[in-house]
Amino acid sequence: FNDDAKTASKVLGLTLTSRNHGGAEDVPLAGFPYHALDRYAHRLVKAGYKIAICEQTEDPKNAKGLVKRDIVEIITAGTATDDGFIDEKSNNFIMSIAGEQGRAGVGICDLSTGLFQVEELSDARLIEDLQRIDPAEVLVSDAPDNPLVALIGRTLKQTPLSKYDAWKFSFENSRQALQDHFAVSSLQGLGLEHYAVGVRAAGALLRYLKEQKKNDLKHITSITVRSLSQFAELDPSTIRNLELIKPLHTDDAGGTLIAVLDKTSTAMGARLLKFHLTHPLKDITEINRRLDCLAVVKTDMYLRGEAELFLKQISDIERLIGRITFERANARDVTALKQSLSVFPRLTKLLSAAPLPALVDIGKALTGFEELTQKIEATLVSNPPLSLREGNLIKPGVSAQLDDIRNGSINGKKWIAQLQESERRRTSISSLKVGFNRVFGYYIEISKANLDAVPSNYLRKQTLVNGERFITPELKDMEAKILGSEERCGELEYELFVELRRAVAARCADIQKASQALAALDVFVALAKVAAEQVYC
């Protein structure tokens, strides 16, 4: 409505209309169907806007007066987590920056994966870091004359800049936010006791994300100090001029180094490879460890081929577990996770025979998920629907109560199916039909030519061009039983699904570790494949 309608009309190409509800002026309005939200929201976020998602927060049947509604989520460029908003092969970073006496504290988070980092650096290095990380959104305090605003504006001209209450950037508030989230009694427990300005940025970022997403963010299971000391420094201009990730003068990425090397099978591996290319190691021990793994995978064609085959069957479990813990996942997401977990034992067995402890350790990180896999398999149907509220999610045998309600519904539908034949015999109307639609419920349809033969207990419900629709008291009673059973089924299935989703979310940290191991293996396999094909040494 009003100015928002004018903005949406311009950005989304919607028709701008207006209504006058007794006011002095017409109210501008524009809209689209709620089921098209993802498509339109994506365009708004890309244009730099924030979107508030408002939903009903109580059952309309229990509401007194207007149904309660509230904002359940705010989507911004840096807080988007759904696949439609973000590139699967790139991290979607939001950066929070706090300044203090020539130093900058930086908090960095990829909400889709749970990656959370903190660092401190000089103002000069901050500019390079902004360019290197290229965040989707930057968060700063709303303090008057904040010098960071101008600096960020000059460095990242197209990046949305969000301002947040200055008091939430205070050390005390930020310290408390971090300690509460990670359940520690001091910053020492997080290894952050010497990062005062970094703590301010990270704590404010954590508060901001929780407020935007209306969620506890339990998939953020750790915070690490981001240190570039272990890497050979590549400044942004070097990364750009060497065309490591993006081409210099065209949108075609075919001439970049990553285009040559990226033969990864998973999105997790693709993201890690991109990080490796822009952060070359300096530590000779770690370099040789990677090269040793690469040499084994390159030489052992069977290991490489089987590993690649298994990796191609694995979804982006790093982002899947994020959505599951975030309580945004549907049954298909949980099923995709189960299918990925079911591949783990075969990968572990394959890697257990590797002649290198580092590869064997990757396999060990994939163990311990058999019980969770079986639980999901035993609970969810193999091909669940997208909707979580309309049933058909849960297998028979999971809940005796659900099975009893289903049986009642099935028996009712059998009665309905038999009704058509019995009424045809009773009325001698061979064209009589029993049908159902969502608006009118169950009905008996009689053509115009046979209206004279309609029994006296038929009650007219709807007039059509070619006939009439009727109900009977018995049909109405059975309809109430069937629809009541289906509604209760939907409610109970949703409760059982939420219970399962929470059980999966409880293994978040373990699944995140497994995803990191898989990403490392995927990079080794991809680079070994390129090395073998191109005869690199």
Side-chain angles (χ1 to χ4, degrees), residues 250-268:
T250 172
D251 291 333
D252 177 19
T256 60
L257 181 58
I258 199 165
V260 175
L261 298 181
D262 189 1
K263 303 292 183 185
T264 54
S265 301
T266 70
M268 300 171 290

Side-chain angles (χ1 to χ4, degrees), residues 334-335 338 341 369-381 393-395 398 495-507:
V334 178
T335 301
K338 175 206 73 178
L341 295 177
F369 297 102
E370 292 79 9
E371 189 177 327
L372 182 61
T373 307
Q374 289 164 8
K375 183 178 179 67
I376 300 171
E377 173 66 32
T379 305
L380 292 180
V381 298
L393 300 171
I394 308 297
K395 282 182 175 178
V398 174
E495 291 169 11
L496 290 167
F497 171 75
V498 169
E499 188 180 310
L500 173 67
R501 189 168 62 185
R502 285 176 183 152
V504 176
R507 299 294 305 277

Side-chain angles (χ1 to χ4, degrees), residues 45-318:
V45 167
K46 286 295 181 187
Y49 292 97
K50 295 184 178 184
I51 307 164
I53 306 297
C54 183
E55 291 182 0
Q56 293 179 350
T57 55
E58 67 174 340
D59 190 327
K61 295 196 298 293
N62 303 327
K64 294 179 180 178
L66 287 174
V67 179
K68 287 180 184 175
R69 295 171 173 82
D70 200 357
I71 292 172
V72 297
E73 179 185 10
I74 297 173
I75 303 174
T76 69
T79 64
T81 57
D82 290 345
D83 292 342
F85 294 91
I86 52 181
D87 178 7
E88 66 171 0
K89 291 192 173 186
S90 300
N91 287 105
N92 191 59
F93 288 123
I94 178 170
M95 282 180 73
S96 168
I97 306 173
E100 189 175 288
Q101 297 177 346
R103 287 191 65 73
V106 178
I108 305 164
C109 183
D110 180 348
L111 202 56
S112 68
T113 66
L115 176 67
F116 194 32
Q117 298 176 319
V118 62
E119 68 177 332
E120 289 186 1
L121 29 72
S122 66
D123 287 347
R125 295 291 296 274
L126 174 62
I127 294 173
E128 289 185 2
D129 225 35
L130 283 165
Q131 294 173 329
R132 184 185 291 110
I133 294 171
D134 191 20
E137 180 181 351
V138 178
L139 183 73
V140 295
S141 92
D142 65 356
D145 303 321
N146 186 345
L148 289 170
V149 173
L151 185 147
I152 294 162
R154 289 193 303 271
T155 309
L156 300 174
K157 293 182 174 61
Q158 304 299 319
T159 303
L161 181 67
S162 298
K163 294 183 180 180
Y164 196 42
D165 297 335
W167 67 267
K168 290 175 182 173
F169 277 84
S170 74
F171 177 80
E172 194 55 36
N173 276 293
S174 296
R175 178 190 65 77
Q176 197 62 54
L178 292 170
Q179 289 179 192
D180 289 348
H181 180 82
F182 294 108
V184 293
S185 58
S186 71
L187 291 176
Q188 206 165 358
L190 299 172
L192 301 179
E193 63 270 27
H194 302 303
Y195 291 86
V197 67
V199 163
R200 287 177 49 206
L205 178 57
L206 192 58
R207 280 186 183 276
Y208 175 77
L209 293 174
K210 287 185 176 184
E211 287 179 14
Q212 300 295 294
K213 309 315 279 186
K214 313 289 183 184
N215 191 277
D216 289 337
L217 308 185
K218 290 178 181 175
H219 70 301
I220 298 178
T221 55
S222 65
I223 181 169
T224 57
V225 175
R226 183 173 183 268
S227 172
L228 298 180
S229 61
Q230 67 195 102
F231 305 114
E233 187 177 335
L234 294 182
D235 61 77
S237 61
T238 300
I239 293 172
R240 185 173 61 252
N241 291 332
L242 290 178
E243 297 183 294
L244 300 184
I245 307 298
K246 297 177 182 177
L248 265 176
H249 302 299
T250 172
D251 291 333
D252 177 19
T256 60
L257 181 58
I258 199 165
V260 175
L261 298 181
D262 189 1
K263 303 292 183 185
T264 54
S265 301
T266 70
M268 300 171 290
R271 292 194 292 269
L272 182 61
L273 177 62
K274 183 177 285 188
F275 179 80
H276 282 183
L277 289 188
T278 54
H279 297 77
L281 291 169
K282 288 195 298 189
D283 183 347
I284 191 68
T285 304
E286 180 62 17
I287 289 171
N288 281 323
R289 187 194 70 83
R290 279 191 196 169
L291 288 174
D292 289 344
C293 291
L294 194 52
V296 168
V297 180
K298 176 176 178 283
T299 305
D300 191 334
M301 293 178 64
Y302 173 77
L303 172 65
R304 187 171 79 244
E306 288 295 289
E308 184 178 21
L309 196 66
F310 292 142
L311 286 165
K312 287 187 182 299
Q313 299 173 47
I314 294 174
S315 302
D316 189 350
I317 63 170
E318 189 175 33

Side-chain angles (χ1 to χ4, degrees), residues 329-353:
N330 58 34
R332 290 186 186 178
D333 291 327
V334 178
T335 301
L337 178 66
K338 175 206 73 178
Q339 290 167 345
S340 298
L341 295 177
S342 67
V343 180
F344 284 13
R346 288 175 283 170
L347 258 175
T348 299
K349 184 178 179 182
L350 176 71
L351 295 170
S352 66

